[in-house]
Amino acid sequence: MCMANWSELPCDIIEHLTSFLPIQDYHRFSAVCRNWRMVAKQKRYSPIQQIPWLALGTEENKRKFYNLLEDRHYYLDVPNLRDKVLCGSSYGWLFTLDRKSKFHMINPLTRECYDLPTPPPFLEGDLGMYEQDVPRYLEAESDDEEKHEFLREFFEESQRVLVVKSIFDYDPSTRPDFTVVILYGDNDSPAFWRPGENAGTDITGLPGVLEDIAFFDGKVYAVQPPFDSNHSVIYTFEVGTDPKATKVELQVPRHGNPNYFIEYQNFSVNYLVVFDGKLHLVERFIERTEHRLTTEFVVHELDLEGNNYSTRQHINGHTIFLGGNAPVVINPCQFPHCMKDAIYFTDLEFGHNELYGAEDLGIYDMIRKSITPYYPREIFHHTLAAPIWFTPNPW
């Protein structure tokens, strides 16, 4: 019997096969033979939707990622990611701040990088003072270990809060006319930037702190957390010459008993998530104990035209990845290893609790209303970065 020579398959067939491969198999595919490697380098077909990796801290000058699908870690030697604070992830790009509060975005797999305008510091005096002390205490030996550690923690916290969320409207790998929208500063103020512009543009007409932002139907939507009214408030704006936000009449009351928040000092966090052609408000409830842990998620489908909402008991079998990243929604039919009707979430805080490890990472089952772990708590993650979902994008 004559054996087939797989290396001599027609190029169009080989190229089509690459579109069905997860990223780790794509690289293995390219290592089979010279012909397959040449096809893989051409990147004519984008691969299937990828399962996000968990971006962790830096170890031995390499950035650490956790591959959920294979239950293994990868270490990428990307100089532009060393000792950077991660402040967002969207379309396979990571947003970073360096020790001088310089703002960047980078695709770790292609190494493509953009320098972004740094938002105005929210603590100009303190950051200015601290910038002078950074070289002395972070790049040189110091006898005052207590002050050295205080300055390091202050700097890391200042970096992390300077930009709290960053998203795109389009993948920069496929469209050069993309827009970046961020929340920055102690008031989580929104601003946007587009390639070719020297500075970002602030959005006006938004009172108070915002919790999340999302692109939907050609506009940007933002959510303000419930305060005295116990309702979440939605705003919208368009990026352009007059980016003034307007309040949407729709308001969503916070789920649950008010005493849960008042008496026990628990709290909730809002996310804006798009799936099934609708904008959704996702509430995350966290108990404030000696180790803050997420207890529940509630998903509301927003009817923006009718100024109404409905609370969903399931999410149509989808899987949602939430955290400091732009939300990722996948169809688990393509990934049977992922739980259906589930929300994979990450820690809100960076750091590592000696008793509880990486505290608040888990999978929330929308049907059973239960939480199971996906990442061992005993594994340390560096304090410089809260875990964040990152979708590998080799294009």
Side-chain angles (χ1 to χ4, degrees), residues 14 41 52 74 79 108-109 153 202 250 332 338 340 342:
I14 300 175
K41 285 184 176 181
Y74 296 114
L109 299 187
E153 292 178 357
D202 286 326
L250 169 63
C338 288
K340 296 181 179 180

Side-chain angles (χ1 to χ4, degrees), residues 32-81:
V32 170
C33 63
R34 181 181 298 178
N35 190 30
W36 288 25
R37 182 165 58 253
M38 290 178 60
V39 169
K41 285 184 176 181
Q42 292 178 0
K43 299 180 178 179
R44 290 185 59 184
Y45 287 86
S46 297
I48 59 174
Q49 185 180 21
Q50 303 293 308
I51 292 290
W53 295 353
L54 198 63
L56 300 170
T58 300
E59 291 188 10
E60 298 181 355
N61 287 328
K62 295 183 180 180
R63 202 81 201 198
K64 184 177 180 181
F65 296 86
Y66 174 67
N67 184 335
L68 183 71
L69 196 60
E70 294 192 335
D71 188 23
R72 63 179 295 185
H73 291 91
Y74 296 114
Y75 296 85
L76 301 184
D77 187 6
V78 183
N80 286 335
L81 285 181

Side-chain angles (χ1 to χ4, degrees), residues 132-157:
Q132 298 175 1
D133 287 335
V134 168
R136 190 152 55 98
Y137 287 98
L138 294 185
E139 300 174 7
E141 294 294 329
S142 171
D143 295 332
D144 192 342
E145 292 296 331
E146 183 176 350
K147 186 175 183 179
H148 178 89
E149 186 61 25
F150 169 78
L151 288 171
R152 178 188 297 275
E153 292 178 357
F154 174 81
F155 174 71
E156 292 174 358
E157 176 69 13

Side-chain angles (χ1 to χ4, degrees), residues 187-191 201-210 220 222-224 233-238 242-248:
N187 286 323
D188 293 352
S189 304
T201 302
D202 286 326
I203 312 300
T204 61
L206 283 160
V209 175
L210 298 178
V220 181
V223 57
Q224 189 179 72
V233 182
I234 309 295
Y235 291 86
T236 185
F237 60 88
E238 296 184 35
D242 186 23
K244 185 176 181 179
T246 58
K247 184 177 178 181
V248 177

Side-chain angles (χ1 to χ4, degrees), residues 360-373:
D360 199 16
L361 296 83
I363 310 169
Y364 182 73
D365 188 328
M366 291 286 298
I367 306 301
R368 296 179 177 85
K369 311 299 181 188
S370 62
I371 294 177
T372 55

Side-chain angles (χ1 to χ4, degrees), residues 76-80 93 106-113:
L76 301 184
D77 187 6
V78 183
N80 286 335
W93 292 70
I106 181 172
N107 183 328
L109 299 187
T110 66
R111 309 297 177 93
E112 188 175 0
C113 183

